[in-house]
Amino acid sequence: MAEPLWQWEDLVAAAHGDADGAPALRVTGFAIDSRSLEPGDVFVALKDARDGHEFVPAAFKAGAAAAIVSRRYARGGSGPSGALLRVDDPLRALEGIGRAARARSNARIVAVTGSVGKTGTKEMLRLCLDTAGPTHAAEKSYNNHWGVPLTLARMPADSAFAVLEIGMNHAGEITPLAEMVRPHVAVVTTVEPVHLGFFPSVEAIAEAKAEIFVGLVPGGTAVLPRDNPHFPLLRERASAVGAQIVTFGYHEEADFRALQVDLGPRGSSVIAGHGSQRFPYRVGAPGEHYVRNSLAVLATLGAVGADAMRCLPGLARIAAPAGRGARTLLDAPDGQILLIDESYNANPVSVRAALAAMAVTPRETFGRRVAVLGDMLELGEESPALHRGLKEAVDAAGVDLVVACGPMMRLLYDELAPSRQGPWAPSSVELEPALLGAVQAGDVVMIKGSLGTRMAPLVAAMLARFGPGRPGG
Ligand SMILES: Nc1ncnc2c1ncn2[C@@H]1O[C@H](COP(=O)(O)OP(=O)(O)OP(=O)(O)O)[C@@H](O)[C@H]1O
Ligand SMILES: [Mg+2]
């Protein structure tokens, strides 16, 4: 049997808490949600929308090895029966465990931030590094004040590599997380107007991303997007902390540079260059943005001391996840529809990326391009202009029909010739029947909008009408 993730005494010490009751059973993981708890997990009772303390009994029922709590429970009767670790604040305790996990680790640690592309890059790094040694990586988009310490706490002591995602909505949020992670390599995928409503400018977003360099270990490496307009600022901030700098992109001065890129509906073929070295590889998910992120991966592999040639075949195994570009072939009465599910979120750069990726599918297979677009949120005063500004990308992608919802997307919609205006509705719920009436066999249908615009039900409606479907390209 593999080593347990934590010895109980070490965990109690790292959490700065008091053990209450019998020691925990074998600790094999951590959970903050009793519904997804696996037997052997330590349940951490965080306060979020609801107080995790309410779910301690459910956690033990699901097989929790222990629970980290700040509440005093009466023993016996209806109180929890398992091992408790009592602390002042479970979130602080989780951070303490995260720091202890980092302190005991000999892994080469990569932290990924950026306005978009963090999870895609993290998943590609996981696939690549796994071929070089045991690799621990964040689950989903666990990148915030609890996601980062949770990911560290879950890191096995014998990991050779770890890949963490660090996100932010506001200035100052990355600093404490980067100091907790202390990465050897800090990757900035890109800087874009995402969450712009919380920042005075995109430059201020670049400053906030640059907080990641503060956490770099001495002699650590910053992997930077050479094509980004804010590259000089990032370089300056990284240099200021003494980081080594490695760049990626299409720019002729990029250290890891795309020399040849063939975009296809099932993925891309790339030849990248580094000095006189050539790296031919395949990226399993379609879209130019995946190619860009793959260049960041290539640059990172060298920086963590992995053999890039050996690791790169991992990139062929990347697949776009549900809500983030997953492709499904659906059966319509007279043929097929290709559904691209981008419903998880949207901002100006990711909508452009998604439109471009939909255009990679040749007209011979799917003749009509239908973009189903919902409002992009959190864009502040620039929001109307940023919505209207998508017109160029809609044109460049050869979109034949725009089906839209929300007051902001109405602004883009009004820019279009009537022949390209499909149905529009104030909300996604109201759009649903019209969308189902507007699509037909031979369409590629890409659905995208911010999470708050609720585009996922439209994907579900397409699957219910034409599904279940099968993975398609
Ligand atoms: N390098 C890139 N350039 C432009 N768009 C990108 C890039 N990488 C990803 N995208 C777009 O952003 C979407 C989200 O990608 P991903 O999940 O990797 O981002 P993220 O940074 O993890 O997002 P979140 O902050 O929501 O966790 C993708 O579906 C794609 O549309
Ligand atoms: Mg993410």
Side-chain angles (χ1 to χ4, degrees):
M1 205 190 278
E3 282 283 295
L5 186 61
W6 285 94
Q7 299 298 337
W8 181 233
E9 315 77 63
D10 296 342
L11 202 60
V12 174
H16 301 291
D18 295 311
D20 178 349
L25 306 172
R26 221 178 119 74
V27 171
T28 48
F30 289 85
I32 59 165
D33 187 328
S34 59
R35 290 165 300 182
S36 54
L37 183 138
E38 303 269 342
D41 281 352
V42 172
F43 178 68
V44 189
L46 298 183
K47 277 202 180 74
D48 198 32
R50 297 194 48 187
D51 185 348
H53 289 91
E54 289 174 38
F55 304 99
V56 169
F60 280 117
K61 213 165 165 190
I68 299 180
V69 295
S70 59
R71 201 182 275 178
R72 282 187 182 279
Y73 291 92
R75 285 298 190 169
S78 60
S81 52
L84 295 177
L85 206 171
R86 234 165 347 85
V87 298
D88 291 336
D89 177 348
L91 178 61
R92 293 281 106 77
L94 182 62
E95 291 168 4
I97 297 166
R99 278 197 201 87
R102 175 65 185 91
R104 74 177 182 178
S105 176
N106 291 320
R108 303 287 293 171
I109 312 256
V110 181
V112 183
T113 194
S115 302
V116 285
K118 296 181 291 296
T119 303
T121 302
K122 176 212 47 165
E123 288 303 325
M124 288 199 278
L125 278 166
R126 185 212 297 268
L127 288 167
C128 288
L129 289 171
D130 229 13
T131 58
T135 300
H136 176 66
E139 187 181 330
K140 299 179 193 160
S141 275
Y142 283 9
N143 65 25
N144 63 3
H145 63 285
W146 56 259
V148 171
L150 179 64
T151 303
L152 284 174
R154 288 171 166 178
M155 178 165 66
D158 63 354
S159 302
F161 301 100
V163 191
L164 283 96
E165 175 174 334
I166 301 187
M168 62 104 191
N169 296 338
H170 300 91
E173 285 175 356
I174 288 184
T175 298
L177 300 177
E179 284 171 344
M180 202 181 296
V181 172
R182 286 194 290 117
H184 297 95
V185 181
V187 182
V188 180
T189 56
T190 181
V191 175
E192 308 288 345
V194 178
H195 307 302
L196 187 57
F198 305 136
F199 292 87
S201 63
V202 183
E203 192 177 5
I205 295 177
E207 286 286 6
K209 302 289 178 209
E211 290 173 28
I212 197 168
F213 308 135
V214 176
L216 274 174
V217 300
T221 304
V223 173
L224 303 180
R226 187 64 184 82
D227 301 319
N228 194 270
H230 301 281
F231 166 71
L233 185 148
L234 296 173
R235 178 176 53 191
E236 207 172 303
R237 297 295 175 270
S239 303
V241 301
Q244 300 184 52
I245 291 169
V246 177
T247 62
F248 66 91
Y250 289 79
H251 197 285
E252 56 181 31
E253 285 171 16
D255 297 317
F256 289 86
R257 185 178 165 212
L259 299 175
Q260 196 182 315
V261 176
D262 293 313
L263 301 170
R266 290 173 188 276
S268 307
S269 297
V270 182
I271 300 175
H274 175 51
S276 60
Q277 272 177 300
R278 293 292 173 267
F279 298 95
Y281 61 88
R282 196 154 164 83
V283 183
E288 202 267 336
H289 56 292
Y290 269 99
V291 173
R292 242 171 231 284
N293 298 341
S294 76
L295 297 169
V297 169
L298 175 60
T300 302
L301 291 176
V304 292
D307 175 350
M309 276 301 194
R310 234 186 87 191
C311 295
L312 283 172
L315 293 174
R317 298 202 302 276
I318 189 79
R324 293 270 160 99
R327 294 177 170 222
T328 309
L329 280 172
L330 302 175
D331 290 316
D334 306 313
Q336 290 184 322
I337 294 174
L338 174 63
L339 175 67
I340 306 180
D341 174 9
E342 280 273 1
S343 61
Y344 181 75
N345 223 338
N347 54 61
V349 65
S350 70
V351 173
R352 285 195 172 80
L355 287 166
M358 117 188 249
V360 162
T361 299
R363 295 254 187 219
E364 302 84 71
T365 17
F366 291 95
R368 193 171 74 146
R369 294 175 184 163
V370 182
V372 185
L373 302 173
D375 284 3
M376 306 180 288
L377 306 179
E378 296 181 355
L379 292 176
E381 285 171 10
E382 299 289 314
S383 183
L386 291 168
H387 281 82
R388 279 196 200 97
L390 292 175
K391 163 107 183 356
E392 213 174 295
V394 168
D395 292 345
V399 173
D400 301 293
L401 196 69
V402 171
V403 176
C405 61
M408 284 293 137
M409 273 306 169
R410 178 80 210 195
L411 302 175
L412 167 68
Y413 181 87
D414 286 340
E415 298 281 313
L416 304 170
S419 61
R420 297 168 81 193
Q421 291 177 325
W424 173 89
S427 69
S428 69
V429 179
E430 292 157 282
L431 184 63
E432 186 182 311
L435 166 66
L436 295 175
V439 297
Q440 61 196 40
D443 286 352
V444 46
V445 180
M446 190 277 288
I447 301 183
K448 193 159 183 76
S450 277
L451 193 56
T453 310
R454 300 193 41 76
M455 302 303 276
L458 296 179
V459 172
M462 289 285 292
L463 290 168
R465 170 66 64 89
F466 304 109
R470 55 201 170 281

